[in-house]
Structure formats: C-alpha cells, structure tokens
Amino acid sequence: MASSVIKFDHLERMTDDTGLLEHSLGRIPRRREGYSTDDNARAIWVCLEWLALCQDTKTNERLYRLLDRYLAFLLWAQNEDGTFHNNFFFDRTKEEETPSDDCFGRSFWAAAMAYVRLRDPARREAAAEMLRRAIPAAWELRSLRGSAWGLAACGVLLTEGRPPSVDEQEAAALAARFEERLLSAYASNADARWRWYEPELTYANGVLPWALWTAYRRAPRHEVREVAEKSLAFLIDNMSGPGGVIRPIGNRGWCNRRYRADWDQQPLDVMKLALAAREAYWATDDGRYRDVVRRCLAWFYGENDGKVPLADPSDGSCCDGLGPNGPNPNRGAESTLSYLLTAAIAQSISVEVAVDELVHYKTVRMAGARV
C-alpha cells in the first residue's frame, strides 16, 4: 500500500492550537469533550512512524507541524512529579481523575520514541526533559499495561540511545522489573488452555506480548520468547473468526474461560494485535506474523464481521467501533490514530491491501443508498 494512499486530513481536522481533541460527532470535532494525553501521545507516535516512511516533502512538513503541537501538549501535561495528567477540558483546565498507569506508560513510550527518532536537537531537548522527569516516576508503575509500555520504552532507550539525564543502569533495572512483572503474571494465570497474563482478555491486549517481543529482540532469552510466542498465538486464535477474519474481543463483556463478547469491536485492539505481530515478525522472520498484520489492516477496509469499511483513506479517518448494527459513525482520535498506526505498521514490513477494492465497495454502497 503506497504511502500516498494515506491522508492526514482528519488528524489535522481534529487538531487545534492546543493539541488533538478526543471525540467527534461524525467527522466534526466535539470541543466540549476536550483532550486526552493518551491521544496526544499516540499522535506523536503516528507522526514518527509516518515520518520514517513517507518521502513526500509537503506531507512531512505537515507531519512536523502536527508533531510539534502534540509534543507541546505532552510537555504541558506532565506533572511536577514526572507523571502525566490525562484528561483536560476544552478551556485547558484539568478534569478530576484517578492517575492512570496506561496514560503514563503511553506518554513515557512517546517521549522515548521522540528522543530516539528525531534528529533535530531542539525537538529532542523537549523529549529529553520529559524523560528526565519520567524515569523516577516510572518506578511507581503497577499495572500490566503500564509495565508493558515501560518495558518497551526502556528497551528503546537502552538500544537506540538515551539522553545524558537517563542513567543506563536505572533504565536497565526498570526494564528488568517490568519484564519480570509480565512473566510472573503469565505464570500465575496461564495453563494449558488459557495462555494469558490475566483471567480475562480485555482491552489493548496485544501490548502485553508486544512488550515481551521487544525485550526478546533486545536481549534474547528462551523464557521471554516462549511466553511472548504462546501468548501471542493465544491472542491471535481468540481474535480470529471464520476464514481468518480479525474479530476483536468485544467490550460488551470481554472474554474469559467461559464467555466471549463479540461486540463492540474497537480499532485500538486491532492495532495492538498488528503491533505485536510486527514485533514478532521482526524477531523471527516468520511469515505467519506478517499475514496477521495484513489481516489487521484488512479489518479496517471491510474484511470484518460487518463486511463494511471502517476507515476512509480519502481523509485518514476511522469509525469509532463496529457493533451488530454496523459501524459507529463517529470518527474520534483513538480510532483514527489506530487506523493510521496499523497502516504504518503494515507499510513498514511491506504488507499491502488492495485499497481500490475498498473504493469500489464504497461506491457500490453509496449508489445503493441513493436508490
């Protein structure tokens, strides 16, 4: 899939001078719902992924303009203690909230990626400052997903470069702590039939095996690979429907040993599976993982339980989910970023999906609706 197919119009539409707005009504931003740091951290990641792939000068200039706003948002959202406040009203005041390990982990990852990917010293300085303040706070992470993001972020800093303010031994100790937490969770919950870290498959599941695959690529260990391999295979099995169509765990009840919810399916979960599969492909060169990435991207283009596209390449937007009655017509930040990231993940390992088939499919549907 050529990068020229991907557009960033909707991402720009959802972005104002503060940062990325969280929700939309259809394609129109809902300002009253404000901003989330989660989304702005993901948006930094999206820009970095596409800047590494795109050769078009005008598109790259656009991505840098957006990236600067998201970096400014993340820098502003960081608290004095190094953590990150997640939810803000449209007037830039903080909403009351319980601190989120997920938000901290995503922001820590985004800052680490910005530092290692960007070459402009002025932009890297902002990322370095966020990392300097975040590293001490990272010791307080407790949740599995927060630990997964922390493991991946520390791994990037250890292998691809770190600012002078980040001590190598401390980053290594943090990585070891997070890795052990994931391995221990798997040992406590997995059995011959349930190869997972928790009693349930819930949201953003792919981030857990992904983090272990990043650790294995950095420092290969049999135990780490075994858990990453078994858990990812289990997740792929539980997210595959008839004919291999990707079927995300529904958030109307999740999935445990006795029950599986099929609706509502979230784009975020598809992206996290693609992320884990790409990392496994890089670690093993096994073409089966590459096919999983292809199936994840195809899910956005109509190869799903609803047999309907959720993503629109003409502006880069994506519907907020898939239910039994079809797509959620709203196109908020999380779903749009999930689509753009999945497309970047696929392109980074040269996975192609025939977008022209999507365009034809949409044309036929629109003609039928007019009749």
Side-chain angles (χ1 to χ4, degrees), residues 313-345:
S314 70
D315 68 355
S317 66
C318 180
C319 294
D320 280 350
L322 181 62
N325 298 317
N328 181 329
N330 299 325
R331 296 169 182 263
E334 180 182 280
S335 55
T336 293
L337 293 167
S338 296
Y339 163 57
L340 294 173
L341 275 168
T342 305
I345 288 165

PDB file of all heavy atoms in Angstrom, residues 313-345:
ATOM      1  N   PRO A 313      -9.610   6.063   3.554  1.00  0.00           N
ATOM      2  CA  PRO A 313      -8.282   6.560   3.161  1.00  0.00           C
ATOM      3  C   PRO A 313      -8.295   7.958   2.560  1.00  0.00           C
ATOM      4  O   PRO A 313      -7.261   8.608   2.525  1.00  0.00           O
ATOM      5  CB  PRO A 313      -7.813   5.531   2.121  1.00  0.00           C
ATOM      6  CG  PRO A 313      -8.656   4.325   2.347  1.00  0.00           C
ATOM      7  CD  PRO A 313      -9.975   4.834   2.837  1.00  0.00           C
ATOM      8  N   SER A 314      -9.469   8.431   2.097  1.00  0.00           N
ATOM      9  CA  SER A 314      -9.500   9.735   1.447  1.00  0.00           C
ATOM     10  C   SER A 314      -9.212  10.874   2.410  1.00  0.00           C
ATOM     11  O   SER A 314      -8.771  11.944   2.004  1.00  0.00           O
ATOM     12  CB  SER A 314     -10.861   9.966   0.769  1.00  0.00           C
ATOM     13  OG  SER A 314     -11.888  10.147   1.729  1.00  0.00           O
ATOM     14  N   ASP A 315      -9.459  10.656   3.731  1.00  0.00           N
ATOM     15  CA  ASP A 315      -9.103  11.687   4.701  1.00  0.00           C
ATOM     16  C   ASP A 315      -8.379  11.114   5.921  1.00  0.00           C
ATOM     17  O   ASP A 315      -8.020  11.856   6.828  1.00  0.00           O
ATOM     18  CB  ASP A 315     -10.326  12.501   5.133  1.00  0.00           C
ATOM     19  CG  ASP A 315     -11.336  11.707   5.954  1.00  0.00           C
ATOM     20  OD1 ASP A 315     -11.146  10.480   6.121  1.00  0.00           O
ATOM     21  OD2 ASP A 315     -12.316  12.307   6.424  1.00  0.00           O
ATOM     22  N   GLY A 316      -8.182   9.787   5.948  1.00  0.00           N
ATOM     23  CA  GLY A 316      -7.463   9.166   7.050  1.00  0.00           C
ATOM     24  C   GLY A 316      -8.271   9.003   8.317  1.00  0.00           C
ATOM     25  O   GLY A 316      -7.705   8.796   9.389  1.00  0.00           O
ATOM     26  N   SER A 317      -9.597   9.052   8.210  1.00  0.00           N
ATOM     27  CA  SER A 317     -10.449   8.926   9.389  1.00  0.00           C
ATOM     28  C   SER A 317     -10.871   7.475   9.584  1.00  0.00           C
ATOM     29  O   SER A 317     -10.730   6.643   8.688  1.00  0.00           O
ATOM     30  CB  SER A 317     -11.686   9.812   9.258  1.00  0.00           C
ATOM     31  OG  SER A 317     -12.519   9.360   8.193  1.00  0.00           O
ATOM     32  N   CYS A 318     -11.411   7.176  10.767  1.00  0.00           N
ATOM     33  CA  CYS A 318     -11.867   5.825  11.058  1.00  0.00           C
ATOM     34  C   CYS A 318     -13.027   5.871  12.037  1.00  0.00           C
ATOM     35  O   CYS A 318     -13.018   6.644  13.001  1.00  0.00           O
ATOM     36  CB  CYS A 318     -10.721   4.987  11.638  1.00  0.00           C
ATOM     37  SG  CYS A 318     -11.190   3.285  12.030  1.00  0.00           S
ATOM     38  N   CYS A 319     -14.018   5.027  11.798  1.00  0.00           N
ATOM     39  CA  CYS A 319     -15.170   4.926  12.695  1.00  0.00           C
ATOM     40  C   CYS A 319     -14.737   4.422  14.071  1.00  0.00           C
ATOM     41  O   CYS A 319     -13.749   3.704  14.205  1.00  0.00           O
ATOM     42  CB  CYS A 319     -16.209   3.978  12.108  1.00  0.00           C
ATOM     43  SG  CYS A 319     -16.959   4.580  10.577  1.00  0.00           S
ATOM     44  N   ASP A 320     -15.514   4.762  15.085  1.00  0.00           N
ATOM     45  CA  ASP A 320     -15.115   4.501  16.462  1.00  0.00           C
ATOM     46  C   ASP A 320     -15.321   3.066  16.916  1.00  0.00           C
ATOM     47  O   ASP A 320     -14.938   2.726  18.039  1.00  0.00           O
ATOM     48  CB  ASP A 320     -15.871   5.437  17.413  1.00  0.00           C
ATOM     49  CG  ASP A 320     -15.251   6.824  17.466  1.00  0.00           C
ATOM     50  OD1 ASP A 320     -14.146   6.997  16.930  1.00  0.00           O
ATOM     51  OD2 ASP A 320     -15.868   7.731  18.052  1.00  0.00           O
ATOM     52  N   GLY A 321     -15.913   2.231  16.112  1.00  0.00           N
ATOM     53  CA  GLY A 321     -16.085   0.841  16.514  1.00  0.00           C
ATOM     54  C   GLY A 321     -17.054   0.137  15.590  1.00  0.00           C
ATOM     55  O   GLY A 321     -17.686   0.752  14.722  1.00  0.00           O
ATOM     56  N   LEU A 322     -17.173  -1.173  15.778  1.00  0.00           N
ATOM     57  CA  LEU A 322     -18.068  -1.995  14.975  1.00  0.00           C
ATOM     58  C   LEU A 322     -18.982  -2.762  15.905  1.00  0.00           C
ATOM     59  O   LEU A 322     -18.522  -3.505  16.782  1.00  0.00           O
ATOM     60  CB  LEU A 322     -17.264  -2.965  14.106  1.00  0.00           C
ATOM     61  CG  LEU A 322     -18.061  -3.887  13.190  1.00  0.00           C
ATOM     62  CD1 LEU A 322     -18.856  -3.083  12.162  1.00  0.00           C
ATOM     63  CD2 LEU A 322     -17.125  -4.881  12.480  1.00  0.00           C
ATOM     64  N   GLY A 323     -20.295  -2.561  15.721  1.00  0.00           N
ATOM     65  CA  GLY A 323     -21.300  -3.253  16.507  1.00  0.00           C
ATOM     66  C   GLY A 323     -22.167  -4.133  15.643  1.00  0.00           C
ATOM     67  O   GLY A 323     -21.990  -4.188  14.413  1.00  0.00           O
ATOM     68  N   PRO A 324     -23.143  -4.820  16.226  1.00  0.00           N
ATOM     69  CA  PRO A 324     -24.000  -5.718  15.444  1.00  0.00           C
ATOM     70  C   PRO A 324     -24.827  -4.992  14.395  1.00  0.00           C
ATOM     71  O   PRO A 324     -25.256  -5.602  13.409  1.00  0.00           O
ATOM     72  CB  PRO A 324     -24.885  -6.380  16.507  1.00  0.00           C
ATOM     73  CG  PRO A 324     -24.847  -5.456  17.679  1.00  0.00           C
ATOM     74  CD  PRO A 324     -23.486  -4.839  17.663  1.00  0.00           C
ATOM     75  N   ASN A 325     -25.040  -3.688  14.579  1.00  0.00           N
ATOM     76  CA  ASN A 325     -25.815  -2.907  13.609  1.00  0.00           C
ATOM     77  C   ASN A 325     -24.933  -2.083  12.685  1.00  0.00           C
ATOM     78  O   ASN A 325     -25.421  -1.221  11.954  1.00  0.00           O
ATOM     79  CB  ASN A 325     -26.796  -1.987  14.352  1.00  0.00           C
ATOM     80  CG  ASN A 325     -27.796  -2.767  15.176  1.00  0.00           C
ATOM     81  OD1 ASN A 325     -28.331  -3.779  14.720  1.00  0.00           O
ATOM     82  ND2 ASN A 325     -28.047  -2.326  16.401  1.00  0.00           N
ATOM     83  N   GLY A 326     -23.637  -2.344  12.704  1.00  0.00           N
ATOM     84  CA  GLY A 326     -22.736  -1.647  11.813  1.00  0.00           C
ATOM     85  C   GLY A 326     -21.768  -0.745  12.554  1.00  0.00           C
ATOM     86  O   GLY A 326     -21.670  -0.772  13.782  1.00  0.00           O
ATOM     87  N   PRO A 327     -21.031   0.102  11.813  1.00  0.00           N
ATOM     88  CA  PRO A 327     -20.020   0.955  12.425  1.00  0.00           C
ATOM     89  C   PRO A 327     -20.628   2.089  13.238  1.00  0.00           C
ATOM     90  O   PRO A 327     -21.715   2.595  12.923  1.00  0.00           O
ATOM     91  CB  PRO A 327     -19.246   1.520  11.227  1.00  0.00           C
ATOM     92  CG  PRO A 327     -19.598   0.639  10.071  1.00  0.00           C
ATOM     93  CD  PRO A 327     -20.989   0.164  10.339  1.00  0.00           C
ATOM     94  N   ASN A 328     -19.914   2.498  14.273  1.00  0.00           N
ATOM     95  CA  ASN A 328     -20.203   3.752  14.970  1.00  0.00           C
ATOM     96  C   ASN A 328     -19.769   4.874  14.035  1.00  0.00           C
ATOM     97  O   ASN A 328     -18.597   4.949  13.660  1.00  0.00           O
ATOM     98  CB  ASN A 328     -19.414   3.788  16.276  1.00  0.00           C
ATOM     99  CG  ASN A 328     -19.650   5.042  17.087  1.00  0.00           C
ATOM    100  OD1 ASN A 328     -19.905   6.111  16.554  1.00  0.00           O
ATOM    101  ND2 ASN A 328     -19.545   4.917  18.401  1.00  0.00           N
ATOM    102  N   PRO A 329     -20.676   5.771  13.646  1.00  0.00           N
ATOM    103  CA  PRO A 329     -20.319   6.768  12.616  1.00  0.00           C
ATOM    104  C   PRO A 329     -19.359   7.844  13.090  1.00  0.00           C
ATOM    105  O   PRO A 329     -18.791   8.569  12.262  1.00  0.00           O
ATOM    106  CB  PRO A 329     -21.677   7.380  12.245  1.00  0.00           C
ATOM    107  CG  PRO A 329     -22.514   7.192  13.473  1.00  0.00           C
ATOM    108  CD  PRO A 329     -22.078   5.893  14.078  1.00  0.00           C
ATOM    109  N   ASN A 330     -19.175   7.980  14.395  1.00  0.00           N
ATOM    110  CA  ASN A 330     -18.248   8.995  14.893  1.00  0.00           C
ATOM    111  C   ASN A 330     -16.807   8.576  14.620  1.00  0.00           C
ATOM    112  O   ASN A 330     -16.483   7.393  14.636  1.00  0.00           O
ATOM    113  CB  ASN A 330     -18.471   9.232  16.388  1.00  0.00           C
ATOM    114  CG  ASN A 330     -19.878   9.724  16.680  1.00  0.00           C
ATOM    115  OD1 ASN A 330     -20.458  10.463  15.890  1.00  0.00           O
ATOM    116  ND2 ASN A 330     -20.437   9.302  17.800  1.00  0.00           N
ATOM    117  N   ARG A 331     -15.953   9.563  14.388  1.00  0.00           N
ATOM    118  CA  ARG A 331     -14.566   9.290  13.984  1.00  0.00           C
ATOM    119  C   ARG A 331     -13.621  10.060  14.896  1.00  0.00           C
ATOM    120  O   ARG A 331     -13.065  11.087  14.527  1.00  0.00           O
ATOM    121  CB  ARG A 331     -14.367   9.661  12.507  1.00  0.00           C
ATOM    122  CG  ARG A 331     -15.212   8.791  11.580  1.00  0.00           C
ATOM    123  CD  ARG A 331     -15.255   9.295  10.145  1.00  0.00           C
ATOM    124  NE  ARG A 331     -16.126   8.432   9.343  1.00  0.00           N
ATOM    125  CZ  ARG A 331     -15.704   7.435   8.584  1.00  0.00           C
ATOM    126  NH1 ARG A 331     -14.414   7.154   8.517  1.00  0.00           N
ATOM    127  NH2 ARG A 331     -16.561   6.695   7.902  1.00  0.00           N
ATOM    128  N   GLY A 332     -13.484   9.537  16.124  1.00  0.00           N
ATOM    129  CA  GLY A 332     -12.689  10.212  17.127  1.00  0.00           C
ATOM    130  C   GLY A 332     -11.206   9.961  16.984  1.00  0.00           C
ATOM    131  O   GLY A 332     -10.739   9.265  16.078  1.00  0.00           O
ATOM    132  N   ALA A 333     -10.453  10.517  17.929  1.00  0.00           N
ATOM    133  CA  ALA A 333      -8.990  10.467  17.845  1.00  0.00           C
ATOM    134  C   ALA A 333      -8.456   9.050  17.977  1.00  0.00           C
ATOM    135  O   ALA A 333      -7.615   8.623  17.184  1.00  0.00           O
ATOM    136  CB  ALA A 333      -8.390  11.367  18.926  1.00  0.00           C
ATOM    137  N   GLU A 334      -8.906   8.297  18.984  1.00  0.00           N
ATOM    138  CA  GLU A 334      -8.332   6.975  19.222  1.00  0.00           C
ATOM    139  C   GLU A 334      -8.485   6.056  18.021  1.00  0.00           C
ATOM    140  O   GLU A 334      -7.533   5.374  17.624  1.00  0.00           O
ATOM    141  CB  GLU A 334      -8.992   6.336  20.444  1.00  0.00           C
ATOM    142  CG  GLU A 334      -8.461   4.943  20.771  1.00  0.00           C
ATOM    143  CD  GLU A 334      -9.171   4.320  21.950  1.00  0.00           C
ATOM    144  OE1 GLU A 334      -8.816   4.673  23.099  1.00  0.00           O
ATOM    145  OE2 GLU A 334     -10.087   3.492  21.736  1.00  0.00           O
ATOM    146  N   SER A 335      -9.672   6.022  17.431  1.00  0.00           N
ATOM    147  CA  SER A 335      -9.899   5.123  16.298  1.00  0.00           C
ATOM    148  C   SER A 335      -9.109   5.577  15.074  1.00  0.00           C
ATOM    149  O   SER A 335      -8.516   4.747  14.363  1.00  0.00           O
ATOM    150  CB  SER A 335     -11.393   5.050  15.966  1.00  0.00           C
ATOM    151  OG  SER A 335     -11.922   6.343  15.730  1.00  0.00           O
ATOM    152  N   THR A 336      -9.074   6.871  14.828  1.00  0.00           N
ATOM    153  CA  THR A 336      -8.320   7.392  13.683  1.00  0.00           C
ATOM    154  C   THR A 336      -6.835   7.102  13.840  1.00  0.00           C
ATOM    155  O   THR A 336      -6.162   6.658  12.892  1.00  0.00           O
ATOM    156  CB  THR A 336      -8.576   8.899  13.534  1.00  0.00           C
ATOM    157  OG1 THR A 336      -9.955   9.104  13.163  1.00  0.00           O
ATOM    158  CG2 THR A 336      -7.668   9.517  12.483  1.00  0.00           C
ATOM    159  N   LEU A 337      -6.290   7.314  15.028  1.00  0.00           N
ATOM    160  CA  LEU A 337      -4.883   7.012  15.270  1.00  0.00           C
ATOM    161  C   LEU A 337      -4.607   5.516  15.147  1.00  0.00           C
ATOM    162  O   LEU A 337      -3.547   5.116  14.657  1.00  0.00           O
ATOM    163  CB  LEU A 337      -4.489   7.503  16.661  1.00  0.00           C
ATOM    164  CG  LEU A 337      -4.498   9.026  16.853  1.00  0.00           C
ATOM    165  CD1 LEU A 337      -4.414   9.377  18.334  1.00  0.00           C
ATOM    166  CD2 LEU A 337      -3.363   9.689  16.085  1.00  0.00           C
ATOM    167  N   SER A 338      -5.558   4.693  15.580  1.00  0.00           N
ATOM    168  CA  SER A 338      -5.378   3.241  15.471  1.00  0.00           C
ATOM    169  C   SER A 338      -5.282   2.817  14.011  1.00  0.00           C
ATOM    170  O   SER A 338      -4.453   1.962  13.652  1.00  0.00           O
ATOM    171  CB  SER A 338      -6.534   2.516  16.163  1.00  0.00           C
ATOM    172  OG  SER A 338      -6.542   2.778  17.545  1.00  0.00           O
ATOM    173  N   TYR A 339      -6.111   3.403  13.161  1.00  0.00           N
ATOM    174  CA  TYR A 339      -6.038   3.111  11.731  1.00  0.00           C
ATOM    175  C   TYR A 339      -4.712   3.573  11.138  1.00  0.00           C
ATOM    176  O   TYR A 339      -4.017   2.809  10.439  1.00  0.00           O
ATOM    177  CB  TYR A 339      -7.205   3.774  11.010  1.00  0.00           C
ATOM    178  CG  TYR A 339      -7.015   3.883   9.521  1.00  0.00           C
ATOM    179  CD1 TYR A 339      -6.781   2.745   8.741  1.00  0.00           C
ATOM    180  CD2 TYR A 339      -7.056   5.124   8.883  1.00  0.00           C
ATOM    181  CE1 TYR A 339      -6.583   2.852   7.366  1.00  0.00           C
ATOM    182  CE2 TYR A 339      -6.869   5.238   7.522  1.00  0.00           C
ATOM    183  CZ  TYR A 339      -6.640   4.096   6.757  1.00  0.00           C
ATOM    184  OH  TYR A 339      -6.436   4.198   5.405  1.00  0.00           O
ATOM    185  N   LEU A 340      -4.333   4.817  11.434  1.00  0.00           N
ATOM    186  CA  LEU A 340      -3.095   5.351  10.859  1.00  0.00           C
ATOM    187  C   LEU A 340      -1.877   4.562  11.336  1.00  0.00           C
ATOM    188  O   LEU A 340      -0.938   4.335  10.559  1.00  0.00           O
ATOM    189  CB  LEU A 340      -2.951   6.828  11.222  1.00  0.00           C
ATOM    190  CG  LEU A 340      -3.998   7.777  10.619  1.00  0.00           C
ATOM    191  CD1 LEU A 340      -3.836   9.181  11.190  1.00  0.00           C
ATOM    192  CD2 LEU A 340      -3.901   7.801   9.090  1.00  0.00           C
ATOM    193  N   LEU A 341      -1.882   4.124  12.577  1.00  0.00           N
ATOM    194  CA  LEU A 341      -0.773   3.320  13.075  1.00  0.00           C
ATOM    195  C   LEU A 341      -0.753   1.936  12.430  1.00  0.00           C
ATOM    196  O   LEU A 341       0.313   1.431  12.072  1.00  0.00           O
ATOM    197  CB  LEU A 341      -0.862   3.190  14.597  1.00  0.00           C
ATOM    198  CG  LEU A 341      -0.247   4.336  15.397  1.00  0.00           C
ATOM    199  CD1 LEU A 341      -0.645   4.254  16.861  1.00  0.00           C
ATOM    200  CD2 LEU A 341       1.279   4.329  15.274  1.00  0.00           C
ATOM    201  N   THR A 342      -1.917   1.316  12.282  1.00  0.00           N
ATOM    202  CA  THR A 342      -1.960  -0.002  11.644  1.00  0.00           C
ATOM    203  C   THR A 342      -1.461   0.080  10.208  1.00  0.00           C
ATOM    204  O   THR A 342      -0.714  -0.792   9.743  1.00  0.00           O
ATOM    205  CB  THR A 342      -3.380  -0.582  11.682  1.00  0.00           C
ATOM    206  OG1 THR A 342      -3.842  -0.611  13.043  1.00  0.00           O
ATOM    207  CG2 THR A 342      -3.423  -1.995  11.124  1.00  0.00           C
ATOM    208  N   ALA A 343      -1.858   1.138   9.509  1.00  0.00           N
ATOM    209  CA  ALA A 343      -1.385   1.312   8.133  1.00  0.00           C
ATOM    210  C   ALA A 343       0.132   1.506   8.093  1.00  0.00           C
ATOM    211  O   ALA A 343       0.814   0.974   7.211  1.00  0.00           O
ATOM    212  CB  ALA A 343      -2.097   2.501   7.492  1.00  0.00           C
ATOM    213  N   ALA A 344       0.663   2.249   9.057  1.00  0.00           N
ATOM    214  CA  ALA A 344       2.121   2.445   9.108  1.00  0.00           C
ATOM    215  C   ALA A 344       2.835   1.146   9.461  1.00  0.00           C
ATOM    216  O   ALA A 344       3.880   0.820   8.887  1.00  0.00           O
ATOM    217  CB  ALA A 344       2.459   3.524  10.136  1.00  0.00           C
ATOM    218  N   ILE A 345       2.290   0.396  10.399  1.00  0.00           N
ATOM    219  CA  ILE A 345       2.864  -0.898  10.776  1.00  0.00           C
ATOM    220  C   ILE A 345       2.929  -1.812   9.560  1.00  0.00           C
ATOM    221  O   ILE A 345       3.938  -2.467   9.294  1.00  0.00           O
ATOM    222  CB  ILE A 345       2.035  -1.534  11.912  1.00  0.00           C
ATOM    223  CG1 ILE A 345       2.280  -0.780  13.225  1.00  0.00           C
ATOM    224  CG2 ILE A 345       2.351  -3.020  12.068  1.00  0.00           C
ATOM    225  CD1 ILE A 345       1.272  -1.085  14.310  1.00  0.00           C
TER     226      ILE A 345
END
